[in-house]
Amino acid sequence: SVPKSGSKRQRVPAGRYFLFGSISSPHYFFEIMSWVGFNLATGTVPGVVFMMLGTIIMTSYAIVRHERYPPSAAHTPIFPFGIDVRPPRALVNALA
């Protein structure tokens, strides 16, 4: 939820919005899914390479964001339904 003006407190999004209840960064998830759709429509090699690199980078950003959440938040960083795929920690640190 959005904090009231002047408030510096951040809250974990509640589950009333689609995917906010199960993943920390749904905007990155939808970005990746849009690239999957693009690549299914076009089938180009450069598009697939761009999608794979973008997925690695966005997953790294999502992990850093997810680690700032309180431990009580039962989310995965980027993929829904308990799928917790993470790139190597050294790569996450390098990209973050």
Side-chain angles (χ1 to χ4, degrees), residues 38-50:
F38 173 82
N39 286 304
L40 288 174
T42 62
T44 62
V45 174
V48 172
V49 170
F50 184 83

Side-chain angles (χ1 to χ4, degrees), residues 74-90:
H75 291 101
T76 57
I78 197 166
F79 298 105
F81 313 116
I83 301 169
D84 195 3
V85 180
R86 297 177 186 222
R89 187 76 212 166

Side-chain angles (χ1 to χ4, degrees), residues 20-41:
F20 274 99
S22 60
I23 60 178
S24 301
S25 301
H27 54 293
Y28 291 145
F29 174 72
F30 283 112
E31 174 88 16
I32 292 167
M33 290 300 104
S34 67
W35 282 108
V36 168
F38 173 82
N39 286 304
L40 288 174

